Structures are given as C-alpha cells and as structure tokens.
Amino acid sequence: MTASSIQPENDVSWRDTVAQSALRLPAIVSLFIWSIVPLLMTIWFSFRRYNLMEPERTGFDGVGNYRYLLSDPSLTSAIGNTVLLVCSVLVITIGLGTLLAVLYDQEFFGRGIARVLVLAPFFIMPTVSALLWKNMMMHPDYGFLAFLMRSVGLKPVDWFAVAPLTSIIIIVSWQWLPFAVLTLLTAVQSLDSERKEAARMDGANAFNIFRYILLPHLERAISATVMIETIFLLGIFAEIYVTTSGGPGFASTNLSFLIYRYALLEYDIGGASVAGLVAIVLANILAFFLMRSFARNLDV
Amino acid sequence: MATVKLVEIRKAFDATEIIKGVDLTIHDRELTVFVGPSGCGKSTLLRLIAGLEEITSGDLFIDGQRVNDVPPARRGLALVFQSYALYPHMNVEENMSFSLKIAGVDRDERKRIVLDAARILNLETYLDRKPKELSGGQRQRVAIGRAIVRNPRVFLFDEPLSNLDAALRVRMRLELTKLHHQLGATMIYVTHDQVEAMTMADRIVVLRAGVVEQVGTPMDLYHHPRNLFVAGFIGSPRMNFLEATVQQIGPTGAVLDLGQAGELHVPSFEHAPQGKKLTIGIRPEHLTLATPAQSSLSAQVQVVEHLGSESYVYVQAISGESLVLRVNGETTVRPDQEVHLNLNPSFLHFFDANGDAIPAKRLS
Ligand SMILES: Nc1ncnc2c1ncn2[C@@H]1O[C@H](COP(=O)(O)OP(=O)(O)OP(=O)(O)O)[C@@H](O)[C@H]1O
Ligand SMILES: [Mg+2]
C-alpha cells in the first residue's frame, strides 16, 4: 500500500465507481447494440413498405403491414399452432420424462445401456431426426409405422397429410424427451434416501411417495426444464421445413415458420417484421406466465 | 405393553456379514441404548428392527408376534433419523400429520393429534414454518413430533442428537429422557457417544463388529464390564490398563509383577496359575496420587486438564503405559512433574489374555 491510496473513503469509492463503470462500459454497450439494434430495425421495417419483389415501392406504410397481418387468418392459426406445439411437447416430455427418470433410478439389468440409448435422440441434429422420422418412421409406403399397421391388417396412414401438427409434435417430443429425462433423473437421484424411508415408516406406499415426496422434490427441476424447453420450442423450424413445409395449407405453420414464409417465400420483409414482433410479444406473454407459475421455485 | 425380541438375527450385505447373530430382548417401557464404535452395525440393527432392511436370518418379534415379513409402517414403530429427514416442502404441521393423512384420518382429528404432540414438544408457535426456517434443535423436535403423532409401540432413534452443538445436545438429552418418562414408551436409542448411553439408558447394549458384547444397566457395565472392550468403551476418561504377571500366590493374596513399576499386592487370587499374564484395569478415579513411600509406581505428568470441579492428569508410567487420573479440581500437579500412583486394590478389574474379565468372585 502506498500513501496515496490511503484517502478519505468516499473519495476512493467515487474513483472506484468511475473506474468500474469504465471497465463495464464495453460489455454493456456491445450487449445493448446486440440486443436493441435488431429490435429497433425490426420495428422500423414493420412500418415500411419493403417487399423484395417490388423494390420500387418503398416508403412509410404506417400501420399497413399491421393491418394486413393481423387480418390474415394464417396469423391466428400460426399462434394457435405455436402454443399447441409448445404445450403438447412440454406435457409429453415432462410427463414421460418424469416416469422414465423414476424408472432409470431403479436398479435393473442393462441400466447403463438403457440410459445411453434414451439420451441418444438429443445428439441427432433436428434436420436429420426430422428426415429420419419422415422417411423411415412415418412414410406411408416404406415407413416403419406403415409396416406395423399393414402387419396388423390396417391401412397405413399418411401422417404428414392427415395429422401434420401431431406428427411434428411427436418428432419434437422424441427429440426433447432425453433432455427432460436427463435433468429430471439428476433431480430424482438427489432425493435423500432417508426422506423416502421416513415416508415409508409413515405408511406411504410407492404412489404416495411419488405424489407427496418425489413430485414436490422435482418441482424446481421441472420448472427449469419447462423454461429451457419453451425457449427452444418457440422457435422450432427445421422439423417443419423438412417434413410438411408448414402445410397442408397453414395446418403446421408456427410463428417462426410464418415469418419465414412472409420473408422468403413472399419476400415481404415488412410483413415478416410484424410477424416477428408478434412472436416477441407471444414469447413474452408465455414467459410471463411461466415466470409467475414456476420462477418462484427457482430461488427457494 | 411393547417388547421387542431378537433371536439369532443376522444381516449380510452381499457376502459381508454385518450383524452376526444378535439375541436381545427389549423390555416394555425401557429406554434401551445401542452403543458401539462407528461402523459396528448399530444403525443396521435399528433398521432391521424398523423393517427398512431385510433380515437375512433369525426372527424378530414385537409383542410376541413375528414381524420379519411385516412392512415397516405396519410394525407400529416410529424412527427418528439422524438427518431428521423432514419433508422440506411441508410445514411443521404437515410434516407431523403426514402419517395420519396417509392413514386417512380426517382433518380435525389430525389437527387435534398434532396439537397435542406440539404441546409436549413446545412447537405450537412453529406449526406454520417450513423446516428450513427452524433451528437444528427445533427440527429435531419436529422429527420427534412426527414419531409421537403415530403413537407407536416402540420409538427408534438413530443418533438423533449428533448434528447438534454440545450445549443443545445436553439439553435435548435431558428432554428426551423426560419425554421417555412422560410417554412411558419403549424406546431404542442408537448412539456412539457413551456419555449419552450412560446418562439416558435404562439398559445399554454394547455392540462391536456386529456382535453384542454386553447388555446391562449403565452401572452394571461401569462396575462389571465383561471384557476389555466394554471396560475401555464405557466410562470417560477411559479405564487405565496395565500389563501384569502373576508372581506368587499365598494365603494373604497374590503378588502381581508390574515389570518396572514394581509389585502389587491384591487380595486372594486363587485360580490364576503362577506366571499367568493379566491385564489390570482401573478407573481414573481409583488411581490416586501417593508418596514415594506408599507406592513404587512412579510416573511422569504429561498434561493436566482442568475442568473446574475436577482435573484429569495424564501421565506416563515408568513401565511405559499412558494413564489418566481423575483428581480434585484444585490439584497443584504440573506437567513434567514426577508423581507416584496408588492403585486401590478393591477397585481393580482383571482380564485374561483373551480380554475376558476374570470374574470378581474368584478374587474374593
Ligand atoms: N446398504 C449397505 N450395503 C453394504 N454395506 C452396508 C450397508 N449399510 C451398512 N453397511 C456396512 O455395515 C457396517 C455397519 O454400518 P452401520 O451404519 O450399521 O454402522 P453404525 O454402527 O451405525 O456406525 P455409525 O456410528 O458410524 O453410524 C458398515 O461397515 C457399513 O459399511
Ligand atoms: Mg449409524
């Protein structure tokens, strides 16, 4: 310590604050630019006439893009599809994931291999797994499901034509189940065995222990899984692109695919920007509800 | 009326036998303490009684009924865990009433029973709190409350006080003893702390490596340990041991050779043949300071611990053994001082080469 550093305390802290702020500034500024500028540009474009097919038509359009998009029935169906997709996949992966986590917590022969296998789908790229399901599982002629149905004498179903959104829900659930199993299994394993034994002494059977001891214990892990999955599920794109291309009609178009359709199939950047803003609003509404119902568990 | 009877109980994990044939009767309304060094199988034995582990062989009877195949909840026992094992997402009331809820007791009745238990344990004001908002001692009481609520035939405790600080441990020890009298219940209490065992127990079971070494009242074990292990385990500070050889046996008693420490005259000692090797045991309070004329057993003082009312003097005898004396708190003995020790012949314990006590009657 040199003599010059021994100064009245508030003086030192004032200098510290300035120095710290100066050091923090680059990070804050770049983060600000990184997150705010695209948003501002999106908002800017959403008020402009901007169609790549009609480069000569530019200028302000006021709320034209908004009026156009909000009156477009495909928007409501895309919002509905997005919510349905996210919620269904959440229910399936968390539900099945919890059961599998409990199962994989038990001792049984071949558990090590089973655990590796259940995690495998997570390591397959979305495009690849969608192709896999499209051509090898759900194809009406040579898909595995068609084979199964034929072998019991049923007529094979053209999954992507008959139930496009359901098919995509199945594919995405298959991809995200391992993630849920992984996080929930860790949580199941962290349950103190004495707590289970105490419940057994209290007369609880396996179901009681699951319902009153394990589920409350899993609450935080489930919350975290729901949040993380939601963030990714809102933007599902590759699976749709590869399998149904959003069709038939708009039956399997979610918001991110709708944005793609506007921007790159109809070259309507203005319209796509509005759809993007709708997506942001939707994500925030979902996030708000998630936070309210789950986030309080995270800081217990 | 609740008795527990163990007949030839054995428990093996994989190939390792942990409990090696335990025969034991736990009497009605008694507080029986299982005590023994870490890893000797106390918890395992308790868990066998509770039904949390399966008995490998042998029979377990509760009130005369064989319960080997009865599931834990139906044995009518309550177990208080060392870690308390409270349900963290439930408040105190829900923790205590969980077993009643499972049993289908209706809400008002549950509330009444929990309140009764809470009153006994002074927990009335904490019923709404979650376990994490309680102190260690309060959590401990909730765990006990959870047991009381079930009105069990036998209470089982597995080292319930070992997570508490020293002062609280002494207080809870007292409260548990009071509770035992108040409820008039049969209790089995596991601890590795022989002070807890001595102070709380009606009857102590000393375990070593899965075998019962001795069963008896605290005073029984203190005054008549059956072998070296029990003698060394019960009592604090621990009993002193000296090696000796029987030198000569005469009508007035025997003369024991303590090696460099000289000779020791003891009252008649008939059945020990001359030349037999023995271990002499003597409690710290029966080893006293003497003048050189009175005793040829000299020793060097190493450490003096002052506890106020009494002092422990740790010495090294001339023959090499480390010994400890319990003396008056005002003692003026200082480290490095040379002292002479007197062994009171009427309080000696003798053990043969196998470590078994040579019964007192033979010493007349
Ligand atoms: N589930 C198990 N599988 C294998 N070995 C076990 C199991 N439970 C206990 N043991 C072994 O049994 C022995 C006795 O364990 P136990 O927990 O009964 O000891 P303890 O007397 O309660 O000791 P402590 O005072 O440390 O609690 C130990 O050697 C332990 O390793
Ligand atoms: Mg133990």
Side-chain angles (χ1 to χ4, degrees):
Chain A
M1 279 267 155
T2 58
S4 67
S5 70
I6 301 166
Q7 292 197 352
E9 198 179 306
N10 52 0
D11 191 13
V12 172
S13 68
W14 176 82
R15 271 178 31 184
D16 279 358
T17 315
V18 172
Q20 285 171 3
S21 307
L23 288 173
R24 274 195 223 110
L25 212 57
I28 294 174
V29 169
S30 56
L31 254 179
F32 186 78
I33 293 173
W34 187 44
S35 64
I36 291 297
V37 167
L39 179 65
L40 290 180
M41 283 178 68
T42 310
I43 294 174
W44 169 249
F45 288 143
S46 73
F47 289 108
R48 291 187 65 86
R49 247 179 230 117
Y50 189 175
N51 191 317
L52 298 177
M53 293 302 279
E54 304 164 47
E56 70 290 348
R57 288 188 62 218
T58 57
F60 254 114
D61 193 20
V63 291
N65 284 325
Y66 287 85
R67 197 179 301 134
Y68 176 68
L69 187 85
L70 293 179
S71 61
D72 185 349
S74 65
L75 178 72
T76 26
S77 99
I79 292 176
N81 287 342
T82 307
V83 172
L84 197 62
L85 177 66
V86 170
C87 293
S88 313
V89 174
L90 280 179
V91 168
I92 293 172
T93 55
I94 301 288
L96 272 181
T98 309
L99 295 181
L100 283 178
V102 172
L103 178 67
Y104 286 131
D105 186 42
Q106 317 290 319
E107 282 290 345
F108 61 87
F109 180 74
R111 181 172 71 167
I113 293 195
R115 281 186 184 173
V116 172
L117 286 180
V118 83
L119 295 185
F122 202 48
F123 299 108
I124 300 173
M125 279 175 261
T127 357
V128 178
S129 63
L131 277 174
L132 228 108
W133 275 88
K134 183 182 184 183
N135 294 324
M136 299 178 73
M137 295 299 290
M138 293 175 155
H139 196 280
D141 294 326
Y142 40 83
F144 182 65
L145 295 181
F147 163 77
L148 281 186
M149 294 185 79
R150 263 197 303 272
S151 61
V152 295
L154 291 172
K155 203 166 136 2
V157 175
D158 184 357
W159 288 88
F160 294 108
V162 178
L165 192 61
T166 312
S167 307
I168 287 168
I169 288 172
I170 292 173
I171 298 173
V172 176
S173 300
W174 179 79
Q175 284 179 297
W176 280 90
L177 182 61
F179 176 75
V181 172
L182 197 65
T183 51
L184 295 176
L185 179 59
T186 336
V188 169
Q189 285 172 334
S190 74
L191 178 61
D192 177 19
S193 66
E194 286 202 341
R195 209 181 295 158
K196 271 186 275 184
E197 288 172 348
R200 266 176 75 198
M201 294 293 296
D202 274 346
N205 57 23
F207 174 77
N208 294 141
I209 292 179
F210 178 79
R211 165 73 187 79
Y212 295 112
I213 309 295
L214 186 63
L215 270 190
H217 174 74
L218 290 184
E219 212 173 88
R220 290 165 81 176
I222 289 178
S223 313
T225 314
V226 165
M227 289 218 220
I228 295 170
E229 279 195 25
T230 305
I231 292 165
F232 286 94
L233 295 178
L234 278 172
I236 288 291
F237 178 81
E239 292 82 346
I240 299 174
Y241 184 81
V242 170
T243 53
T244 61
S245 294
F250 282 84
S252 58
T253 296
N254 67 353
L255 265 178
S256 63
F257 202 80
L258 185 71
I259 295 169
Y260 162 78
R261 286 175 93 145
Y262 267 106
L264 294 164
L265 297 182
E266 295 173 25
Y267 304 105
D268 183 359
I269 306 295
S273 299
V274 178
L277 289 177
V278 170
I280 292 172
V281 171
L282 182 74
N284 276 292
I285 292 174
L286 271 180
F288 175 75
F289 281 112
L290 285 176
M291 288 290 181
R292 262 178 59 128
S293 51
F294 290 117
R296 74 191 151 81
N297 296 322
L298 293 178
D299 56 14
V300 177
Chain B
M1 182 68 199
T3 61
V4 180
K5 190 162 181 233
L6 287 73
V7 181
E8 255 305 288
I9 294 281
R10 288 174 187 276
K11 173 67 186 176
F13 290 109
D14 302 323
T16 349
E17 191 158 70
I18 300 296
I19 301 293
K20 300 163 185 163
V22 169
D23 285 296
L24 197 62
T25 304
I26 285 142
H27 302 275
D28 186 35
R29 289 166 190 268
E30 271 191 357
L31 199 164
T32 304
V33 173
F34 293 174
V35 70
S38 189
C40 69
K42 307 178 294 288
S43 301
T44 307
L45 194 56
L46 197 72
R47 292 165 57 82
L48 288 172
I49 296 173
L52 293 173
E53 302 281 358
E54 208 168 308
I55 296 169
T56 308
S57 76
D59 299 302
L60 175 67
F61 298 94
I62 298 177
D63 285 342
Q65 182 205 353
R66 187 174 182 277
V67 293
N68 285 41
D69 305 316
V70 176
R74 301 242 311 280
R75 293 188 184 188
L77 314 173
L79 174 57
V80 177
F81 291 86
Q82 178 177 353
S83 65
Y84 315 145
L86 299 179
Y87 312 126
H89 52 279
M90 301 182 194
N91 65 23
V92 170
E93 182 173 354
E94 290 161 341
N95 259 287
M96 284 169 60
S97 63
F98 183 66
S99 59
L100 302 173
K101 183 171 164 186
I102 296 288
V105 177
D106 71 58
R107 189 178 293 268
D108 293 342
E109 180 72 359
R110 275 192 332 234
K111 192 146 195 116
R112 192 186 59 74
I113 298 174
V114 167
L115 262 179
D116 282 347
R119 209 166 289 131
I120 294 174
L121 296 164
N122 286 322
L123 280 172
E124 296 118 300
T125 46
Y126 301 107
L127 287 179
D128 295 330
R129 300 234 193 137
K130 292 272 176 67
K132 67 167 192 285
E133 299 160 346
L134 298 174
S135 73
Q138 290 161 346
R139 279 180 217 179
Q140 181 59 70
R141 289 213 291 271
V142 176
I144 295 169
R146 207 164 57 175
I148 293 179
V149 159
R150 296 187 45 210
N151 191 23
R153 293 193 279 185
V154 183
F155 285 84
L156 310 175
F157 296 90
D158 190 354
E159 309 209 19
L161 306 185
S162 58
N163 289 347
L164 304 179
D165 68 53
L168 194 54
R169 196 149 59 212
V170 172
R171 214 181 73 207
M172 286 301 293
R173 195 167 83 196
L174 212 68
E175 285 188 17
L176 272 175
T177 315
K178 273 195 228 151
L179 188 71
H180 173 233
H181 289 302
Q182 194 176 348
L183 300 176
T186 310
M187 293 185 172
I188 304 177
Y189 186 101
V190 165
T191 178
H192 61 254
D193 179 357
Q194 59 90 23
V195 178
E196 261 173 42
M198 290 296 283
T199 51
M200 298 176 70
D202 291 317
R203 194 178 297 269
I204 297 179
V205 177
V206 182
L207 288 164
R208 174 169 61 159
V211 175
V212 174
E213 293 286 341
Q214 191 170 358
V215 182
T217 64
M219 281 304 125
D220 229 15
L221 264 56
Y222 192 75
H223 293 304
H224 307 290
R226 194 191 284 164
N227 55 33
L228 266 179
F229 176 77
V230 177
F233 194 80
I234 300 288
S236 167
R238 155 174 215 277
M239 187 187 276
N240 297 299
F241 297 112
L242 290 157
E243 298 305 320
T245 320
V246 179
Q247 199 175 56
Q248 175 195 331
I249 296 190
T252 57
V255 178
L256 303 181
D257 178 13
L258 298 182
Q260 276 178 291
E263 293 174 348
L264 182 68
H265 292 264
V266 295
S268 87
F269 199 76
E270 292 160 33
H271 297 284
Q274 211 157 340
K276 185 179 164 90
K277 292 230 178 290
L278 294 175
T279 303
I280 300 176
I282 183 156
R283 298 264 175 218
E285 59 268 37
H286 300 139
L287 198 57
T288 48
L289 295 172
T291 60
Q294 290 170 312
S295 164
S296 56
L297 176 50
S298 68
Q300 177 108 17
V301 177
Q302 292 182 312
V303 178
V304 181
E305 285 179 353
H306 293 285
L307 302 182
S309 63
E310 57 186 12
S311 300
Y312 300 151
V313 181
Y314 294 85
V315 303
Q316 181 158 36
I318 187 161
S319 44
E321 286 101 342
S322 295
L323 305 174
V324 51
L325 291 76
R326 187 199 299 267
V327 299
N328 193 300
E330 310 298 330
T331 185
T332 54
V333 176
R334 291 283 163 267
D336 294 332
Q337 193 179 331
E338 173 101 5
V339 293
H340 285 77
L341 308 177
N342 189 24
L343 286 73
N344 187 338
S346 26
F347 293 108
L348 295 181
H349 300 262
F350 297 97
F351 304 95
D352 63 19
N354 295 330
D356 291 326
I358 299 171
K361 63 175 185 287
R362 284 206 235 153
L363 295 170
S364 80

